[in-house]
Amino acid sequence: MALSVHSFLFKPVLNIPTRKLAPPTSVISSKSILESLKAEKLKHTKCHAVTDLRSTVSSVEDDHKVLVGPSSEEERRGERLVADYDWTEEWYPLYLTKDVPDDAPLGLTVFDQQIVLYKDGNGVLRCFQDRCPHRLAKLSEGQLIDGRLECLYHGWQFEGEGKCVRIPQLPVEAKIPRSACVRTYEVKESQGVVWVWMSQKTPPNHDKLPWFENFARPGFQDTSTIHELPYDHSILLENLMDPAHIPISHDRTDWTAKREDAQPLRFEVTERTDRGFAGRWGKEKDGSPPNFLRFEAPCVLQNNREFVDNKTGEKHYFSGLFLCRPTGQGKSMLIVRFGATKRSPLAKLFPNWYFHQNASKVFEQDMGFLSSQNEVLMKEKAPTKELYLNLKSSDTWVAEYRKWMDKVGHGMPYHFGHSTISLPKVPAVVENAPAGLVAGVSASLPAKGGIGTMHAPNLSNRYFRHVIHCKGCSSVVKAFSAWKNVLSAVAGVLTALAILASGRQWKAFCLVSASLCLAGVYACSTAIAMNTTNFIRTHRRL
C-alpha cells in the first residue's frame, strides 16, 4: 500500500520520561551503554551459577550482536514514547461479506463489547449492541422477522436504526417507550469485508477504513478464510509476523515449508509511526529483501511481494493479508486472505474447501504453544522485555510490535508491551455450553476426539473455529453428509438384493455396485473428517 495514502493518519508523538536506564545526557558513550547492559545481564542471567566479570562482558557483547536492542535514542535513554490513541476510534474487521447469514443474526465481540450483525429486509447490514433493553437477553439468540430483529425472550422487535417497533405484551392503546431502543454501531463493507466503528462518542472516520491496493488490481484473485482462535490477538499477530517459525512448526504442511530450510533472516525497518511500522525482510543470503511487511493499527497485517513473469516480462503482485479482531481475553478472530494477480494452474484443480481445511491445520499446528504462551503472559504479569529473548535474525517484527504496544497500550482495555503492561480490569467471561450429557462431554474433550466432537462449542474444535463461520465449508460438510447417508442406504439395499438374487450375474452386479457405494461412503467420510477433525501433531524421530 502506498505510503502517501496513510501519511495523514499519523498523529504527533508525546515524549514522557519514565525509568532511566542510562544517564539522561545528550551524548551517551558506548562505555555507559555497555555498563548498563552489564547491569541488566547480571540482573537477569540465571543460566550459570558461577561467572566472572570478563565472561560476563564477553557474553553481553555477544548478546548485543544477536539480540534485538533499542530501536531509538529515546529507548536508550529509558524514555517512553506515548501516542494519542483510543481503541474505539478504529475500524475492526467483523466478517467476510460473503459469509454473513441472510436469515439469522450473528453474535460477535470486539474486545469485551458484544455486538450483533444482521441484514435487514433490504439486505442492508445493521449492527447493534447485543443486548435487549428489556431484560438484557442476547439479540443474537433471536430471529429475523420481516427484516426486523426479534428478541426470542419476549418477542420485542427492533428496526435498523435501533428503534423498538413491537412489544407483544403492551396494551393496544399503549405507546412503545422511547427508551426501548438498542445502541447501534456504524458498519461499512469494503473489498469483501465488513468493518465496524466502535466509538459511540466520535463519528466514523472513513479515512481510517483500510484499503488494500493489490486487492483492487485487475486480475487479482484471492482465497479468503475466517477462523476463531483460543488466544489473545497480540499473540496471534506475533505469530503471523514471525516467518522464522514456518519451516519448523509447519514442516511439510504444503510441500514448501521444510525444517531443514530454517535459517537466519534479514529485516530492514523502513517506517515507524504512531499507527504501526513497515519494512522489508527475506533470507540473509538474498541481495535485497523481496518481502514487504506492514502492520497498521488496530490489528491489520499485510505481507506483499512483487515478481516478474520470466516468459512475458509482466509484473505480478502477491499479498498475504491478515485482519485480526480481539474477541476478549484469550480469544481472537482472524480473516486470512491470500491472493495474487497470477495464480498457479495447479491451484485451480483443488476446491476452495481444501485450502480452507489446510489453513485450519496450520493454525492447529501452532495452537498448543500459542495458548500456553498466552497463559504464561497472564501468569507472569510482566512485559515481554523481561520474558522474551528476541533475535535480530528472526524476531525483529515481534520486538517492533511490542514496542508499538508500549506507545498505544494506554488506549486499550489491556495490553502486553515490550516494557509496559496493563492487565484486564475485569475477569474473562466464560459462557456455558448448551446443556446435555453429549454436549458436556464433547466440550470437555474437544482436541482428543470426545463424544460428538464435531459439534462441541469449544474454540479448540475446528468445526466451531471455522466451519460454522464459512458458508462454503458448512455447505460442503452438509452435502458430503447427505451423500454419505444416501450411499450408505443404497449400499445396504444392494447388499440385500445380492443375497436374495438367484443369478450369479445379478449377485456380482449388486455386490460390485455396493462396493462402489461403500467406496463413496469412505470418500465422503474422509472429506467430512478433513473439514472437521483437528490436526494432532505426531512427533517423529529425525
Side-chain angles (χ1 to χ4, degrees):
M1 192 185 304
L3 299 182
S4 59
V5 176
H6 299 280
S7 59
F8 57 89
L9 298 179
F10 307 143
K11 299 181 180 178
V13 176
L14 175 65
N15 291 325
I16 299 180
T18 57
R19 179 175 66 92
K20 295 294 188 290
L21 299 180
T25 56
S26 57
V27 179
I28 303 177
S29 66
S30 59
K31 182 179 179 180
S32 63
I33 294 175
L34 184 58
E35 289 174 351
S36 177
L37 288 170
K38 289 177 187 176
E40 290 294 320
K41 180 71 176 180
L42 289 170
K43 179 181 178 182
H44 295 292
T45 298
K46 299 179 181 178
C47 298
H48 303 284
V50 180
T51 185
D52 58 28
L53 183 60
R54 285 175 297 177
S55 64
T56 300
V57 172
S58 175
S59 177
V60 170
E61 290 173 344
D62 290 342
D63 284 357
H64 184 65
K65 292 178 182 178
V66 299
L67 297 180
V68 177
S71 56
S72 65
E73 196 63 35
E74 290 83 3
E75 188 181 349
R76 291 185 180 91
R77 292 197 299 265
E79 296 177 357
R80 180 185 171 193
L81 299 178
V82 179
D84 183 18
Y85 190 81
D86 183 342
W87 76 270
T88 65
E89 296 179 2
E90 300 286 353
W91 292 95
Y92 290 86
L94 284 183
Y95 231 62
L96 288 167
T97 307
K98 64 182 178 64
D99 289 328
V100 177
D102 296 316
D103 57 354
L106 186 63
L108 304 168
T109 58
V110 181
F111 279 110
D112 60 347
Q113 300 298 309
Q114 296 179 333
I115 58 179
V116 56
L117 179 70
Y118 74 98
K119 292 181 180 179
D120 66 14
N122 297 317
V124 178
L125 290 166
R126 304 288 187 177
C127 188
F128 297 161
Q129 183 180 29
D130 196 6
R131 179 193 298 175
C132 180
H134 179 213
R135 297 267 288 280
L136 309 182
K138 276 192 170 186
L139 293 173
S140 57
E141 297 288 344
Q143 60 186 345
L144 297 180
I145 297 181
D146 297 328
R148 299 186 298 271
L149 181 56
E150 181 184 81
C151 176
L152 270 182
Y153 197 2
H154 294 90
W156 290 28
Q157 294 182 4
F158 303 89
E159 63 178 8
E161 299 300 325
K163 180 182 177 182
C164 183
V165 293
R166 185 171 188 272
I167 298 179
Q169 294 80 18
L170 275 182
V172 177
E173 66 280 2
K175 292 184 178 181
I176 296 176
R178 289 185 179 181
S179 56
C181 59
V182 292
R183 180 183 298 176
T184 63
Y185 293 91
E186 180 81 11
V187 288
K188 188 81 173 177
E189 194 277 339
S190 177
Q191 294 182 299
V193 177
V194 181
W195 302 79
V196 63
W197 178 263
M198 290 302 297
S199 178
Q200 293 289 305
K201 301 176 182 178
T202 308
N205 183 344
H206 293 284
D207 290 335
K208 281 188 174 181
L209 188 67
W211 175 263
F212 307 103
E213 185 177 0
N214 281 351
F215 282 75
R217 295 185 186 277
F220 192 90
Q221 299 180 49
D222 74 286
T223 299
S224 300
T225 63
I226 186 168
H227 307 265
E228 274 194 282
L229 297 164
Y231 39 83
D232 189 71
H233 74 283
S234 64
I235 299 289
L236 171 60
L237 284 166
E238 260 192 12
N239 176 248
L240 296 172
M241 59 180 68
D242 173 22
H245 84 284
I246 294 174
I248 304 297
S249 184
H250 307 306
D251 180 26
R252 288 166 173 80
T253 297
D254 59 357
W255 305 296
T256 58
K258 300 177 181 178
R259 63 178 300 109
E260 55 266 28
D261 289 340
Q263 59 189 287
L265 301 175
R266 179 181 172 189
F267 301 88
E268 297 176 2
V269 181
T270 60
E271 179 184 333
R272 291 187 184 97
T273 73
D274 292 354
R275 295 196 58 76
F277 58 89
R280 296 193 169 277
W281 69 274
K283 298 177 181 178
E284 201 172 56
K285 62 184 180 181
D286 292 335
S288 177
N291 306 291
F292 182 76
L293 177 142
R294 176 182 291 281
F295 168 75
E296 186 177 354
C299 31
V300 173
L301 180 70
Q302 56 180 317
N303 194 49
N304 298 326
R305 186 167 185 169
E306 299 177 5
F307 56 96
V308 177
D309 191 319
N310 294 328
K311 295 182 180 179
T312 64
E314 184 180 2
K315 181 182 284 189
H316 289 281
Y317 302 86
F318 165 84
S319 277
L321 180 61
F322 305 96
L323 308 177
C324 177
R325 171 164 50 87
T327 58
Q329 297 176 44
K331 297 184 294 182
S332 54
M333 179 168 271
L334 179 70
I335 295 174
V336 184
R337 307 188 74 180
F338 281 102
T341 51
K342 182 182 180 180
R343 195 178 186 188
S344 169
L346 276 177
K348 300 176 182 178
L349 301 178
F350 294 89
N352 278 336
W353 64 262
Y354 174 82
F355 296 107
H356 288 207
Q357 65 85 27
N358 200 60
S360 295
K361 182 195 300 183
V362 168
F363 287 114
E364 287 154 7
Q365 289 170 339
D366 290 343
M367 192 176 299
F369 49 78
L370 293 184
S371 297
S372 62
Q373 181 184 353
N374 203 141
E375 292 172 3
V376 171
L377 280 177
M378 292 297 294
K379 180 181 178 181
E380 295 289 339
K381 298 179 175 61
T384 60
K385 180 181 179 180
E386 300 179 18
L387 302 172
Y388 290 6
L389 287 176
N390 286 325
L391 299 177
K392 290 181 179 179
S393 54
S394 64
D395 309 309
T396 296
W397 301 142
V398 172
E400 289 292 328
Y401 173 63
R402 292 299 179 181
K403 290 176 183 179
W404 176 80
M405 291 285 275
D406 285 340
K407 284 185 182 181
V408 304
H410 64 91
M412 295 182 176
Y414 55 87
H415 83 283
F416 296 90
H418 176 69
S419 57
T420 62
I421 183 174
S422 63
L423 296 174
K425 294 181 176 62
V426 294
V429 176
V430 179
E431 297 185 8
N432 292 322
L437 176 62
V438 172
V441 174
S442 61
S444 64
L445 302 170
K448 300 299 181 182
I451 300 174
T453 297
M454 188 176 84
H455 299 100
N458 190 300
L459 290 186
S460 296
N461 182 291
R462 184 184 295 188
Y463 184 84
F464 269 79
R465 282 198 335 272
H466 170 67
V467 175
I468 64 170
H469 299 293
C470 177
K471 281 185 178 179
C473 289
S474 181
S475 299
V476 163
V477 170
K478 290 178 181 178
F480 277 123
S481 297
W483 275 107
K484 176 184 175 181
N485 293 334
V486 170
L487 291 173
S488 297
V490 172
V493 171
L494 289 171
T495 302
L497 290 175
I499 295 173
L500 297 175
S502 55
R504 290 185 177 181
Q505 290 181 339
W506 283 109
K507 283 182 180 291
F509 174 78
C510 290
L511 289 175
V512 169
S513 300
S515 299
L516 292 174
C517 288
L518 291 175
V521 169
Y522 176 79
C524 290
S525 298
T526 301
I528 294 169
M530 289 176 69
N531 280 280
T532 60
T533 303
N534 276 20
F535 167 86
I536 302 296
R537 190 183 297 278
T538 55
H539 295 280
R540 56 188 176 85
R541 294 182 182 274
L542 300 178

